[in-house]
Structure formats: C-alpha cells, structure tokens
C-alpha cells in the first residue's frame, strides 16, 4: 500500500494523511460509553429510543457493531477497549472499570449484560466485573453459552456440548 | 471398495459378508432406550451407576456417543432414530414417540433433557416432545443455545449472537 501511494497516487496519500490527522485531532472517547466518537457524548448514548435500564459491556468497538447488526438489543453500551490480561499489563485501570462502576450508578441502569468474549481473558473480565458490581443492587447477566443456531450435536466440540448440557434451561 | 474386494481380497469380502449377516440377525433396538444393541436391554440402560431420574432425548446413536464423549451427563437416554420431518413422511410414529411417552412414565424419570439438534427439524421435534410431555408432571429442559466455548462476538453469526443475548442468564 505504501509503495502504491508513493509511486502512483500522491493525491490519495495526501487525502489519507489529512484524514488520519483529522481523526487524531477530533476523535475521542464518549464520556458515557467509552466508544470512539467526535462528540462529547456519542449519538447512541444521546438517543431517546434506547432502553436506559440496560447496559451491555463489550470488549471492543467491533463487538458493539456486531451486537447492533444482530438487532437483538436496544439498551446502552459500555466499551472496555480491551480485556483483563495481567500478563500483558492490562489490569482493571486500563479497561476503565472505575468509569464503568460510575456509569452503572446513574440511577437508570437496572441490568448489566456482560457480553465479553468466551475466551479465557473475556471470561476472567466478566467474572471480575460481576464481583465488582455484585452488591450494587443491579441485575448482572451473562450472554448464553451453548450450541450455535443450526448446530448439530455431531459437529460441535465436546466442551461446548458439555456447557450446553450444564446450562440447559427449562422449557 | 467393491472392485478391491472382488479382485484382491476374497477372504475379506467373505468376512464382511458374514459380519453384516451376523449384525442383521443379532442387532436390534434396546427395549428401553431404542439404541442399537445385541441384547434385549442395552448395557447403558442396565447400569446402576447412572442417574435414572434424568432422561436425555437425542436424534441418532452418533449423538449419544457425542454426549458420552463430552463427559457431561450421567443419566439415561432415549434415541429417536430420526427427527420429525413431515415432508419426508417422518411423523411422531416413525420416531417412536409412543415408546418415549411410555418410557417417561416409569416413575423414576423426573427430568427430560431435549438434546435434539438446533436445525429446523430438530427444533420442531423438541417443541413437539415438549408439548407431548407438557402435563405429565416432568421437568422438561432444552440444552442451551449461545456462543461456543472460546467464541468471540466478532466471529459468530448474528443469529447465534441474538440468541445468546435473548437467553442471557443471571450470574
């Protein structure tokens, strides 16, 4: 890409440089959800069409996009911009858990939906946040683990099948 | 395989023929779980180390094997040997639901775990059995749907993510 821009597309390189410059100057973190935005509070957090009683915690902005594309959730978000990973030096401060704690105490939030990944770090992060918010009078939920939609027993890994059986639900 | 046996391995063909012959004559369906067995009641159904209060309903013998390999379940089974599929002429009689109903009425079974696949037919079958056993005083559960173990929000299909959010559980 660098060779192409330098050899054949000086104008494009200039546009890219000024776009990056503009982004670096104008894009910041939303004061409420911590996602990237050009404003103090992002459009999603300002919306009156969303349920302020629900707060979904995701790791990255891409996860928020996935949630929105699934059209299954109409509440608010908090983006950690990472996950707990002590070996990489990422602790509770780096993923802004102090701000998350403050965010849940606005009197409107009733339920915190933990939607971190089902990786080791994601699970540890969910567990830590669960403990942190444990006695704050909030309902703490975790998105479900189990077989995917369209999934067949014969083709899932045994760890997932075991979880699906352990977390079976009454019909 | 046919060419190989006829041209190079007459003895093997003979062994295969008599094995098939033996299987056709001796293998039948277990009277309790409907799985293949050489006895009237299979070894698993005769075991005293399993929980007779749990009955797991699966579509095929391969699904039972998967459940056993996952080491997550220590109850009994019922193998439907298929799933409801009206277009293929497979109705409640073909998947032995009369026998399943009788099996659940032995006084020991307290919970029926529906572990059919999450395909359209598997879901319809689970729903049908749920309705069938609805007022029989049993607990009816369905294995969980959601994100697989190790799963990341960014890499699952939106249908599965939507289900995982809808079926979130309290921590």
């Amino acid at each position: 890409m660098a060779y192409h821009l330098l050899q054949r597309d000086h104008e494009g390189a200039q546009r890219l440089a000024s776009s990056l410059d503009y982004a670096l100057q104008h894009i910041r973190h939303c004061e409420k959800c911590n996602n990237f935005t050009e404003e103090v509070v992002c459009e999603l957090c300002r919306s009156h069409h969303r349920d302020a009683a629900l707060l979904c915690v995701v790791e990255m902005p891409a996860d928020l996009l996935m949630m929105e594309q699934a059209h299954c959730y109409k509440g608010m978000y908090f983006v950690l911009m990472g996950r707990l990973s002590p070996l990489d030096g990422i602790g509770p401060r780096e993923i802004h858990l102090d701000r998350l704690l403050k965010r849940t105490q606005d009197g409107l939030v009733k339920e915190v939906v933990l939607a971190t990944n089902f990786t080791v770090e994601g699970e540890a992060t969910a567990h830590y946040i669960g403990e942190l918010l444990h006695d704050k009078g909030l309902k703490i939920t975790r998105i479900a683990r189990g077989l995917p939609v369209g999934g067949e027993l014969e083709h899932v890994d045994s760890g997932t099948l075991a979880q699906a059986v352990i977390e079976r639900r009454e019909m």
Side-chain angles (χ1 to χ4, degrees), chain A:
Chain A
M1 195 174 122
Y3 283 127
H4 174 82
L5 287 174
L6 287 172
Q7 205 162 16
R8 296 179 195 266
D9 195 3
H10 275 230
E11 212 179 288
Q14 193 59 59
R15 275 207 306 279
L16 183 60
S18 53
S19 292
L20 276 172
D21 211 37
Y22 180 88
L24 284 173
Q25 278 176 36
H26 293 85
I27 290 184
R28 51 160 105 188
H29 292 282
C30 168
E31 282 196 354
K32 289 189 85 174
C33 73
N34 200 36
N35 199 3
F36 292 122
T37 176
E38 291 189 38
E39 291 143 296
V40 179
V41 173
C42 73
E43 203 183 326
L44 201 149
C45 287
R46 279 186 282 123
S47 168
H48 295 296
H49 300 296
R50 304 192 69 103
D51 186 354
L54 285 170
L55 184 74
C56 179
V57 179
V58 294
E59 292 181 15
M60 300 299 284
D63 300 335
L64 187 155
L65 278 180
M66 286 300 295
M67 289 284 293
E68 287 299 290
Q69 278 167 18
H71 297 292
C72 56
Y73 178 77
K74 279 284 160 226
M76 315 306 278
Y77 290 96
F78 188 87
V79 185
L80 299 171
M81 294 288 170
R83 77 281 300 158
L84 284 181
S85 181
L87 288 178
D88 303 315
I90 299 174
R93 190 199 303 263
E94 278 71 31
I95 57 170
H96 315 284
L97 292 194
D98 47 337
R99 284 182 55 196
L100 171 61
L101 187 60
K102 217 180 116 204
R103 175 71 183 84
T104 61
Q105 303 301 303
D106 69 350
L108 294 170
V109 175
K110 298 270 175 286
E111 178 181 346
V112 177
V113 182
L114 300 175
T116 54
N117 292 332
F118 283 102
T119 54
V120 178
E121 287 96 348
E123 282 279 73
T125 307
H127 183 77
Y128 191 97
I129 297 174
E131 292 290 307
L132 188 73
L133 302 178
H134 164 243
D135 52 357
K136 298 286 186 286
L138 297 161
K139 186 175 173 189
I140 315 289
T141 55
R142 182 83 170 104
I143 56 171
R145 247 182 318 200
L147 265 69
V149 170
E152 299 179 28
L153 269 74
E154 218 183 320
H155 302 120
V156 297
D157 61 295
S158 55
T160 297
L161 183 54
Q163 277 296 342
V165 173
I166 291 163
E167 299 193 354
R168 64 186 181 271
R169 56 183 54 231
E170 212 157 333
M171 278 176 79

